[in-house]
Amino acid sequence: MKLGFGTWRFFLAFLVVISHLWEGMLPGPAAYAVWGFYLLSGFLMTHVLRHKYGPTVDGLRDYAYNRFLRIFPIYWIACVCGAAAVVILHRYGVDPAFLNPQFVRPHGWLEWFVNVTLLPIPVAGMFVPVAGALAVEIGVYILIPLMAFSRPAAWLGLVLSLLLSAQYGFHSDTFGIRYSYFLTCFAVFAFGSLVSHHRDVLERFKAPILSVLVWLIHGLIWRWYDPWPWGYGIYFSTLLSAWVVISFASQKTGKLDRILGDLSYPVYLFHTVVGAWVLLFFHQGRSFEFFCISFVVTLLLSWAVVVGIDSRIGQFKKQRPEK
C-alpha cells in the first residue's frame, strides 16, 4: 500500500490519541502531530480553493458550506457525548479532567458560546477537550481564501505570525501560547499554503519513505534533550511535515488510504470522551492496557460515525469538479 494523505492524517491522529491515553508515550510527537495537521490543512485548503472552488462568490459559498458540513455535525455529536460524560461520570466518582484538564463543564456564556461555535478563543472548559486545535483551524478557514489566491498574503501571514511568536521567545515557558493560540499558530497554515503555491518546484525533493522516517526520528530527540520540542523543535517538525506533505501530494492511493483518512477526524474527536467512559470500568490510570481498550472502542465508534452519519452528510455537500 502506498502512503497518502489519508494514512498520514490517521497516523497524526493516532499520535494525539496515544499521548492522551497512555502515560508512557513521548509528549513531543503529539505536539508535532497537531501542527502537522495544521500544515496539511493549509496545503489542502489552498489547493482546493484554487483548483476546485475558485475566487468567485459561488465558489467561496460552496467552500464554506462544505467545510461546515465536514466539521460541525460530527463535532456537535461529540459535544453531546462529552457533556453526558462530564455530567454522568462525576456521579460515579470518575473525573474526565484526569485525561485532559479542559474536560470540564463550561462556565459562563463565553465558554458555552465557544463550545458551540468553535471560535478560536482559548477557554478553560470544553466538552470535546481536543477541540481547541479545531477552533484554531476554524478561524483559519475564514482567512485562508486570502492566502490561497495571493502568495504575498500568505508570506505576510507567515512573517507576522512568526514575529509575534518571537516576541514571546522560543523557550519552554512560552510553548503553551505559541503552540495553541490562533495568531501564533497561523504561521503553520500560512506555510502550508505557500508549500501548495510552490508545489511544482518543491516536488523535486519528494521522498515518501525517507521523509516519514526522518519525521519519526526527529520525534525521538525529546528522549535525549527534553527542551527541544518546546523551543525550536516544533518549528523544525513543521519543516519536516512539509517534506512529508509534498512527498505524498502526487501519490496514487487506494481504498484503505481513503478509509483511514475518513476515520482520522472522528478518532481525533471522540478518543478522550471514549477514554473517560472506559475509566468507569478501568481504574488503572493511563496504562497501556487502558489505551488499547480505549483506542479499539474509539475505532469502532468512529467507523459507526463514518458509515452511519458522515456518509449521509456527504450527500448534501456541493459537488464541484477539480479544475
Side-chain angles (χ1 to χ4, degrees):
M1 182 196 73
K2 287 187 176 181
L3 295 174
F5 286 152
T7 308
W8 180 240
R9 285 201 305 269
F10 185 84
F11 173 69
L12 295 178
F14 174 79
L15 289 178
V16 174
V17 171
I18 194 171
S19 71
H20 288 158
L21 301 181
W22 180 39
E23 61 188 359
M25 176 58 186
L26 302 179
Y32 299 161
V34 172
W35 273 29
F37 271 122
Y38 289 167
L39 185 128
L40 179 59
S41 181
F43 178 91
L44 290 177
M45 290 304 101
T46 296
H47 178 81
V48 298
L49 279 164
R50 294 181 64 204
H51 300 285
K52 184 176 181 180
Y53 294 103
T56 64
V57 173
D58 288 345
L60 293 176
R61 182 190 60 219
D62 289 350
Y63 156 78
Y65 176 75
N66 286 347
R67 284 291 88 198
F68 174 85
L69 289 182
R70 171 60 177 158
I71 298 297
F72 280 97
I74 298 179
Y75 166 72
W76 284 332
I77 293 172
C79 271
V80 172
C81 296
V86 170
V87 173
I88 297 174
L89 293 179
H90 273 289
R91 299 177 182 177
Y92 293 93
V94 176
D95 185 4
F98 171 75
L99 297 178
N100 190 305
Q102 281 190 300
F103 203 173
V104 296
R105 182 179 180 273
H107 293 88
W109 70 268
L110 180 60
E111 291 195 5
W112 281 97
F113 186 68
V114 170
N115 270 263
V116 173
T117 62
L118 280 178
L119 289 179
I121 302 172
V123 295
M126 298 287 288
F127 286 134
V128 181
V130 295
L134 187 59
V136 170
E137 190 154 333
I138 294 298
V140 174
Y141 283 163
I142 300 172
L143 297 176
I144 204 166
L146 298 174
M147 297 189 291
F149 301 117
S150 171
R151 294 186 189 185
W155 277 109
L156 181 63
L158 174 65
V159 171
L160 291 179
S161 182
L162 287 177
L163 286 175
L164 179 61
S165 293
Q167 290 294 312
Y168 290 109
F170 299 105
H171 45 82
S172 301
D173 292 343
T174 65
F175 174 78
I177 294 176
R178 292 181 290 106
Y179 169 71
S180 60
Y181 279 27
F182 172 69
L183 292 178
T184 49
C185 290
F186 194 83
V188 190
F189 294 93
F191 185 47
S193 180
L194 287 168
V195 171
S196 182
H197 279 297
H198 297 282
R199 172 178 170 177
D200 292 342
V201 175
L202 294 174
E203 279 195 333
R204 70 182 67 179
F205 303 107
K206 65 182 180 181
I209 303 300
L210 180 60
S211 62
V212 172
L213 181 61
V214 174
W215 195 97
L216 291 173
I217 293 173
H218 174 254
L220 297 175
I221 292 178
W222 176 87
R223 294 287 294 179
W224 296 277
Y225 185 58
D226 179 74
W228 177 247
W230 327 121
Y232 294 102
I234 190 73
Y235 300 95
F236 194 78
S237 78
T238 304
L239 294 175
L240 296 179
S241 292
W243 187 19
V244 173
V245 166
I246 207 66
S247 297
F248 289 170
S250 300
Q251 286 278 73
K252 293 182 179 180
T253 58
K255 184 177 180 180
L256 180 58
D257 187 75
R258 291 193 296 272
I259 291 173
L260 291 175
D262 290 340
L263 286 172
S264 62
Y265 181 49
V267 163
Y268 178 81
L269 281 182
F270 285 97
H271 73 273
T272 315
V273 175
V274 169
W277 285 103
V278 174
L279 282 174
L280 187 61
F281 308 98
F282 202 93
H283 303 289
Q284 298 182 30
R286 295 188 301 131
S287 66
F288 187 71
E289 291 80 6
F290 168 77
F291 155 71
C292 291
I293 295 171
S294 300
F295 184 58
V296 169
V297 175
T298 300
L299 281 177
L300 293 174
L301 176 61
S302 299
W303 177 257
V305 167
V306 169
V307 174
I309 300 175
D310 197 36
S311 61
R312 298 175 186 272
I313 294 173
Q315 298 174 5
F316 296 97
K317 290 183 178 180
K318 301 291 185 181
Q319 302 300 319
R320 297 178 69 95
E322 190 164 318
K323 302 173 184 177

